[in-house]
Amino acid sequence: MRKAMKKKTYLMIPFLLLLPWTTAACSDEPELDTTPVMPEQPNLPGGEESDNENGGENMETRTIRLKISGKTFTATLVDNSSTQALKALLAKGDLAIRMEDYARMEKVGPIGTTLPRNDEQISTGPGDQILYQGRYFVIYYGRNNYSLTRLGKIDNVTESELKAALGDGDVTVTLSLGESN
């Protein structure tokens, strides 16, 4: 009897060790005050690619600039009510967001207001920009699958370039409207 009980105890130990991660992964609220998000290649209206060929539309309406650690990146936005609200917010001035690392796959920070959500089940990749819970701006440098609002994707950046710019700790990212050339 004692031997069987000991065997059951050993079998339960791995399960008990994994239990906190299992419940944390199912939580709607992040562990941090700032929360995660996730996107992949932007799905632009009409099946367009995100190469900034915008069929006569003013480029300024489809791009934003991100200043990260002294480097400036351009991002192409998808077309949804979330990006329309973000562009309206940026029309009032630049937006500096203090971002924290989350789960070694993304940087996340509060935008200081709530934007409309357009959540859908998506897969994210490096450079994807996401709106999480309508209140958090997220830049992915890793991969994830979740129900999120896609905002856009940073143009022409490799995973290693993005990781180098974002760094290991907290970082301030400044968003501004893109300029047409």
Side-chain angles (χ1 to χ4, degrees):
M1 178 76 169
R2 195 176 219 183
K3 195 173 188 178
M5 191 68 151
K6 205 175 206 183
K7 192 174 188 179
K8 286 182 183 179
T9 303
Y10 286 124
L11 291 174
M12 288 188 62
I13 289 174
F15 172 75
L16 292 174
L17 291 174
L18 293 174
L19 187 60
W21 286 282
T22 305
T23 57
C26 296
S27 173
D28 283 342
E29 293 299 319
E31 293 177 3
L32 303 173
D33 222 68
T34 54
T35 329
V37 284
M38 17 347 239
E40 195 176 301
Q41 257 310 8
N43 293 330
L44 298 175
E48 299 172 337
E49 297 295 322
S50 64
D51 60 3
N52 290 337
E53 292 178 16
N54 51 28
E57 181 182 352
N58 183 341
M59 182 183 268
E60 187 174 23
T61 63
R62 291 240 329 254
T63 61
I64 60 172
R65 286 177 303 184
L66 298 89
K67 189 165 187 175
I68 308 169
S69 303
K71 295 184 181 198
T72 301
F73 299 91
T74 301
T76 301
L77 300 176
V78 298
D79 185 18
N80 62 34
S81 61
S82 305
T83 58
Q84 296 301 319
L86 177 61
K87 289 186 289 186
L89 181 63
L90 295 177
K92 298 176 184 175
D94 295 356
L95 177 63
I97 304 170
R98 186 74 179 154
M99 303 183 83
E100 298 178 10
D101 198 72
Y102 184 83
R104 291 186 227 167
M105 66 179 164
E106 66 192 56
K107 295 287 186 179
V108 60
I111 58 174
T113 190
T114 301
L115 302 179
R117 294 170 67 169
N118 290 281
D119 293 349
E120 60 181 323
Q121 189 66 36
I122 59 175
S123 296
T124 65
D128 286 333
Q129 299 170 320
I130 300 296
L131 178 66
Y132 180 71
Q133 295 185 343
R135 304 182 314 261
Y136 300 97
F137 184 78
V138 180
I139 300 172
Y140 274 87
Y141 59 86
R143 299 182 188 328
N144 195 11
N145 293 302
Y146 204 69
S147 182
L148 302 163
T149 296
R150 184 182 309 278
L151 295 174
K153 187 170 185 77
I154 299 174
D155 300 324
N156 305 316
V157 66
T158 66
E159 183 175 350
S160 59
E161 290 170 334
L162 189 56
K163 280 183 178 181
L166 291 170
D168 291 329
D170 295 355
V171 64
T172 298
V173 174
T174 302
L175 305 180
S176 60
L177 288 177
E179 295 178 15
S180 55
N181 293 341

